């Protein structure tokens, strides 16, 4: 029986994922690091068990109506957890943020900057004072009416839509059109409208070409398709959509990254002529502070922005002091090179998590458990000391810090270590050690101990000779200014530099169009799979082979089963009760679904 003042979080019988009835005690008010090989069960213990239980307990205190509006992960598989304070989770979210999300919106610094311009900005003579919403590109009151607050406009040309004008429409002259049935449908509609789909594109009258590619009209016509001789084709009502309209609609609305990338090939992108790329209305850009517009201040690196914010009135001083206090922890975490208008999708997972960590530093919470997911990800060793300082500050403020981590410097600097393993999956799921860091050295099973305490030199290896060179640049993007680089081919090349130096930006410029690149495979931190039903077998194509094996069996042939019969993604194969999900979700209003 633990006392009310027990200084430990005590977990008993944790069975999430591969955890095997784990019992572990972790002290509060320390920096505790959860280590182990990838897949050993670290995150299942820290996030899936400790944080999930803290969240469940918090939701039980929330009004039933409010619970319906919040995503609940449900109760973890654990016997009992005692001594658990409220918890705050800072995970490496793998979801793709929108292009409207920026450094300023993630850290809430943009809100304070907008308030500064609204209340203390210098307005033109006779101009009426604007609300803070009028300085946001993400609101109807502030967004530039031409680009709708995106800062760039997309357009297309006949040359992009029809790369080979010697082809006819039937031969595929309009490359921007979709493939398969939808492309044939648009072709047949054009034919029914009286256009010659067998004549070379360049020989069609200019006004016809203009209408086919760029019209906003959507005429409906009866189509009598003539396609496959062995199939009966019935007439239907078809609606025409111009090539430009199709490309724009796909680029704006499609959730498929593949379709969006294909549509983008037929578009040109340029700064909006209405706002010059600032994303704001002229009324907002007419207001200045210290001689600069809000767009000009948002484009400055945060370290520089903090230096130019000086309040002249009492109101301005209050707001500029608030801004500086919000910027300080971001700069302390080594992110002072970022600007407020830097789009979130261009940041690494580590940068994004450190921005959220900086926001928590200023929140002033006391007595909570912070559960962090590899905050050193994407961090150069030179910046690790700043991260450790921030973790110590969170602890000094009266909080407990639980960190899932691989970086050895962060592990060495911890007060307590929980090592999970010994290996991954079914060969892991056990706590090998829980105690001060030095004690891990005596645990023979621990893979972490071998790297943490082994001082032997790295093994010698033979260097390979490059078989060619790949030239990239000049690159001018983000913080790169006309940078050129040469990469050897046929060898393992590492691109290094401190966080934010431009490594990812430079590597991102390598495309299949460059001389010397035969095939390009990009492996990044984006989530894999396009649907919730996607798994390792479907993503790698292994499931295709399995389905073919089952479809080739004698029993399947007797019943006339094809490969689709063995897929949970299509009608006829999937269970229709759960639509191939494997479970049925029942909405229980204020309870977890």
């Amino acid at each position: 029986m633990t006392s009310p003042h027990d200084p430990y979080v005590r977990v008993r019988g944790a069975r999430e994922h591969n955890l095997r009835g784990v019992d572990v005690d972790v002290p509060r008010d320390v920096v505790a690091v959860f280590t182990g090989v990838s897949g050993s069960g670290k995150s299942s213990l820290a996030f899936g068990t400790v944080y999930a239980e803290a969240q469940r307990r918090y939701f039980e205190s929330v009004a039933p109506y409010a619970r319906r509006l919040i995503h609940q992960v449900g109760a973890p598989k654990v016997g009992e957890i005692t001594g658990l304070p409220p918890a705050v989770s800072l995970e490496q979210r793998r979801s793709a943020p929108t292009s409207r999300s920026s450094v300023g919106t993630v850290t809430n610094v943009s809100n304070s900057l907008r308030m500064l311009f609204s209340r203390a900005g210098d307005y033109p003579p006779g101009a009426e004072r604007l609300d803070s919403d009028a300085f946001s590109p993400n609101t109807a009151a502030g967004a530039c009416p031409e680009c709708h607050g995106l800062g760039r406009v997309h357009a297309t040309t006949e040359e992009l839509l029809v790369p080979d004008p010697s082809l006819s429409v039937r031969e595929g002259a309009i490359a921007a059109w979709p493939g398969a049935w939808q492309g044939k449908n648009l072709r047949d509609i054009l034919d029914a409208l009286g256009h010659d789909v067998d004549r070379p594109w360049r020989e069609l009258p200019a006004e016809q070409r203009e209408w086919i590619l760029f019209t906003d009209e959507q005429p409906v016509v009866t189509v009598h398709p003539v396609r496959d001789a062995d199939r009966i084709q019935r007439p239907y009502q078809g609606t025409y959509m111009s090539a430009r309209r199709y490309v724009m609609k796909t680029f704006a609305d499609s959730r498929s990254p593949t379709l969006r990338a294909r549509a983008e090939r037929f578009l040109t992108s340029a700064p909006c002529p209405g706002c010059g790329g600032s994303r704001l209305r002229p009324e907002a850009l007419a207001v200045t502070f210290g001689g600069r517009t809000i767009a000009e201040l948002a484009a400055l690196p945060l370290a520089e922005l903090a230096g130019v914010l000086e309040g002249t009135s009492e109101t301005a001083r209050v707001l500029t002091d608030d801004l500086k206090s919000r910027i300080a922890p971001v700069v302390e975490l080594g992110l002072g090179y970022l600007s407020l208008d830097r789009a979130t999708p261009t940041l690494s997972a580590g940068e994004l998590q450190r921005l959220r960590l900086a926001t928590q530093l200023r929140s002033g919470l006391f007595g909570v458990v912070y559960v962090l997911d590899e905050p050193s990800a994407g961090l150069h060793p030179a910046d690790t000391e700043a991260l450790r300082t921030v973790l110590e500050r969170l602890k000094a403020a009266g909080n407990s810090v639980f960190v899932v981590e691989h970086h050895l410097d962060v592990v060495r600097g911890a007060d307590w270590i929980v090592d999970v393993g010994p290996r991954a999956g079914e060969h892991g799921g056990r706590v090998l050690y829980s105690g001060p860091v030095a004690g891990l050295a005596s645990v023979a099973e621990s893979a972490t101990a071998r790297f943490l305490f082994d001082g032997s030199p790295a093994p010698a290896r033979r260097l390979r000779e490059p078989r060619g060179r790949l030239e990239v640049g000049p690159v001018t993007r983000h913080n790169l200014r006309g940078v050129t680089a040469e990469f050897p081919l046929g060898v393992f090349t590492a691109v290094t530099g401190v966080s934010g130096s431009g490594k990812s930006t430079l590597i991102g410029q390598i495309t299949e169009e460059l001389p010397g690149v035969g095939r390009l495979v990009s492996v990044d931190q984006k989530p894999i799979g396009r649907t919730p039903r996607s798994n390792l077998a479907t993503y790698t194509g292994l499931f295709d082979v399995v389905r073919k094996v089952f479809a080739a069996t004698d029993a399947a042939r007797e019943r006339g089963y094809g490969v689709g019969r063995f897929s949970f993604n299509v009608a006829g194969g999937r269970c229709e009760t759960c639509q191939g999900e494997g479970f049925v979700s029942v909405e229980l209003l204020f309870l977890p679904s």
Side-chain angles (χ1 to χ4, degrees):
M1 181 82 181
T2 57
S3 72
H5 303 292
D6 185 5
Y8 283 82
V9 175
R10 300 186 187 273
V11 179
R12 296 292 178 266
R15 303 180 306 281
E16 276 295 311
H17 299 134
N18 67 331
L19 297 180
R20 302 182 178 188
V22 163
D23 296 345
V24 66
D25 299 337
V26 186
R28 294 194 301 273
D29 304 323
V30 300
V31 175
V33 173
F34 291 72
T35 62
V37 298
S38 299
S40 59
K42 306 183 298 296
S43 295
S44 298
L45 182 56
F47 287 96
T49 303
V50 174
Y51 172 68
E53 175 63 11
Q55 186 195 52
R56 184 192 67 78
R57 294 180 186 181
Y58 167 71
F59 281 145
E60 287 195 352
S61 69
V62 173
Y65 178 77
R67 287 186 221 174
R68 298 173 58 191
L69 308 177
I70 308 171
H71 173 69
Q72 301 175 54
V73 296
K77 296 174 183 175
V78 63
E80 180 188 37
I81 301 182
T82 59
L84 180 61
V88 174
S89 163
L90 292 175
E91 296 184 67
Q92 288 195 32
R93 295 176 191 161
R94 305 295 184 187
S95 58
T98 70
S99 57
R100 291 186 180 274
S101 174
S102 66
V103 170
T105 59
V106 170
T107 58
N108 295 322
V109 176
S110 286
N111 296 345
S112 299
L113 188 64
R114 297 200 321 258
M115 188 62 72
L116 176 68
F117 271 77
S118 173
R119 297 289 180 263
D122 297 320
Y123 286 74
E128 94 179 48
R129 193 163 291 279
L130 302 173
D131 289 334
S132 64
D133 274 0
F135 295 95
S136 170
N138 297 332
T139 64
C144 165
E146 282 195 46
C147 64
H148 306 291
L150 292 174
R152 302 189 73 81
V153 289
H154 293 90
T156 189
T157 62
E158 182 176 347
E159 289 72 23
L160 286 171
L161 298 172
V162 186
D164 186 355
S166 66
L167 300 177
S168 66
V169 172
R170 191 184 299 277
E171 292 169 333
I174 306 175
W177 269 357
W181 182 89
Q182 198 176 356
K184 294 176 182 177
N185 171 50
L186 290 170
R187 180 199 69 196
D188 290 345
I189 293 172
L190 270 188
D191 193 18
L193 286 168
H195 295 278
D196 191 344
V197 296
D198 293 304
R199 190 174 172 186
W201 178 262
R202 64 161 64 97
E203 295 179 14
L204 293 175
E207 63 272 13
Q208 273 195 39
R209 300 202 306 265
E210 175 77 15
W211 189 90
I212 291 170
L213 295 179
F214 301 110
T215 183
D216 286 325
E217 299 173 36
Q218 291 186 283
V220 179
V221 66
T222 301
V223 179
H224 299 271
V226 180
R227 293 182 193 147
D228 303 322
D230 57 337
R231 294 179 60 192
I232 299 173
Q233 305 283 353
R234 294 184 174 84
Y236 63 90
Q237 296 295 105
T239 305
Y240 183 70
M241 180 186 291
S242 69
R244 177 181 65 182
R245 191 181 184 95
Y246 168 76
V247 168
M248 291 292 195
K249 181 176 174 58
T250 303
F251 184 69
D253 300 339
S254 177
R255 293 186 178 182
S256 165
T258 305
L259 286 178
R260 279 177 54 85
R262 184 181 183 278
E264 195 173 8
R265 285 169 34 205
F266 303 103
L267 294 171
T268 58
S269 177
C272 170
C275 63
S278 67
R279 305 165 62 197
L280 291 165
R281 287 179 179 272
E283 296 88 343
L285 294 173
V287 184
T288 60
F289 182 84
R292 290 185 167 108
T293 66
I294 190 169
E296 289 169 341
L297 287 182
L300 292 176
L302 284 167
E304 189 177 333
L305 175 62
V308 300
L309 291 172
E310 291 298 333
T312 53
S313 65
E314 183 60 31
T315 303
R317 272 194 294 274
V318 170
L319 291 168
T320 53
D321 287 348
D322 175 70
L323 269 166
K324 289 178 182 177
S325 68
R326 290 179 184 275
I327 291 171
V330 181
V331 175
E332 186 179 355
L333 272 172
L335 298 172
Y337 57 87
L338 296 176
S339 60
L340 290 181
D341 62 1
R342 175 78 176 265
T344 308
T346 66
L347 301 174
S348 71
E351 285 174 326
L352 196 53
Q353 186 177 205
R354 276 179 282 146
L355 284 177
R356 293 196 291 269
L357 185 57
T359 308
Q360 289 298 327
L361 261 182
R362 193 182 174 279
S363 68
L365 288 177
F366 171 84
V368 305
V369 173
Y370 283 99
V371 188
L372 279 65
D373 182 12
E374 293 185 46
S376 69
L379 200 61
H380 192 274
D383 301 318
T384 307
E385 195 56 44
L387 172 64
R388 289 173 55 188
T389 301
V390 169
L391 299 181
E392 288 295 329
R393 278 181 57 192
L394 285 173
K395 181 182 78 170
N399 302 298
S400 307
V401 184
F402 292 178
V403 188
V404 175
E405 188 56 86
H406 289 292
H407 198 295
L408 294 181
D409 285 343
V410 177
V411 175
R412 289 188 185 100
D415 304 308
W416 193 269
I417 189 169
V418 178
D419 194 51
V420 186
R423 288 180 286 166
E426 63 180 18
H427 304 292
R430 292 190 289 119
V431 171
L432 303 177
Y433 175 77
S434 178
V437 176
L440 184 64
S442 60
V443 182
E445 277 189 291
S446 172
T448 307
R450 291 202 301 273
F451 289 89
L452 200 58
F453 302 105
D454 185 10
S456 58
R461 57 192 180 85
R462 185 177 61 84
L463 295 180
R464 285 180 288 182
E465 288 295 322
R467 56 173 172 76
R469 300 278 170 178
L470 183 70
E471 292 187 7
V472 178
V475 181
T476 300
R477 181 174 170 81
H478 300 322
N479 64 329
L480 298 184
R481 298 289 178 266
V483 172
T484 57
E486 198 176 72
F487 295 93
L489 295 173
V491 297
F492 185 5
T493 302
V495 180
T496 66
V498 296
S499 304
S501 57
K503 307 181 294 295
S504 299
T505 306
L506 180 62
I507 286 291
Q509 300 305 304
I510 298 178
T511 64
E512 288 187 338
E513 285 72 38
L514 287 177
V517 180
R519 179 169 175 255
L520 181 69
V521 179
S522 176
V523 181
D524 54 25
Q525 292 181 322
K526 291 177 183 174
I528 65 172
R530 289 179 290 179
T531 71
R533 287 193 294 269
S534 178
N535 58 37
L536 290 177
T538 58
Y539 183 78
T540 58
L542 174 64
F543 200 51
D544 294 340
V545 179
V546 173
R547 291 189 296 128
K548 287 176 183 175
V549 169
F550 274 84
T553 60
D554 293 338
R557 285 175 176 166
E558 286 175 17
R559 292 170 172 81
Y561 291 170
V563 290
R565 189 78 181 193
F566 301 96
S567 170
F568 47 74
N569 284 323
V570 297
R574 69 189 178 199
C575 165
E576 292 302 329
T577 305
C578 66
Q579 296 291 297
E581 295 284 357
F583 60 89
V584 178
S585 179
V586 182
E587 201 62 50
L588 296 177
L589 299 181
F590 55 84
L591 295 172
S593 298

